Amino acid sequence: MTTEDRVTESGERRTELRFLNWIAIVAVIDVVLLIPLIWSSRWLADNHEVVSVLGPIHGFLFIGLIAMVAWGSIQKWWGWWFPVIVVLTLGPIGSLVGDWIVRRKLKATG
């Protein structure tokens, strides 16, 4: 491997880590909003006003998370397992677990 290849690989890793940071930020914001959303749902507090505000915000963040992890898969930074677990866990939990897995692999190879 030439020095130029290492520099290119290093730059790509930094880009991937920066992208993972954004995924983590969106996921944490979504978790913070999801807690009162679940509490305000009809099963717990039956507060429709809160649900009508936080529900669409969570939906937007959920779609954003799916788009972000799918983009990373298209870039071949990680496999399609990442978007799948985000969908199956309804967003933030899966993205935080996937983030942890990818970061651990990057540390092991880097």
Side-chain angles (χ1 to χ4, degrees):
M1 179 180 281
T2 67
T3 305
E4 187 175 308
D5 292 337
R6 287 189 193 125
V7 169
T8 302
E9 184 177 311
S10 173
E12 186 169 321
R13 283 179 187 258
R14 279 195 302 268
T15 302
E16 182 178 352
L17 281 171
R18 199 172 314 124
F19 199 72
L20 280 170
N21 290 339
W22 280 108
I23 290 171
I25 289 168
V26 172
V28 167
I29 291 169
D30 200 15
V31 164
V32 169
L33 292 176
L34 197 56
I35 293 167
L37 177 63
I38 290 170
W39 179 256
S40 300
S41 69
R42 63 183 167 148
W43 295 286
L44 297 175
D46 200 24
N47 191 342
H48 297 288
E49 295 81 25
V50 174
V51 172
S52 67
V53 172
L54 295 182
I57 294 171
H58 165 66
F60 177 75
L61 292 173
F62 174 67
I63 301 245
L65 283 172
I66 292 171
M68 291 170 81
V69 296
W71 176 255
S73 295
I74 290 168
Q75 297 300 313
K76 302 207 185 305
W77 291 333
W78 48 74
W80 285 99
W81 59 267
F82 201 166
V84 169
I85 66 168
V86 171
V87 170
L88 292 178
T89 62
L90 301 178
I93 303 302
S95 61
L96 291 172
V97 169
D99 177 89
W100 179 76
I101 292 169
V102 171
R103 285 180 196 272
R104 194 176 61 165
K105 286 181 181 177
L106 284 173
K107 282 184 183 179
T109 61

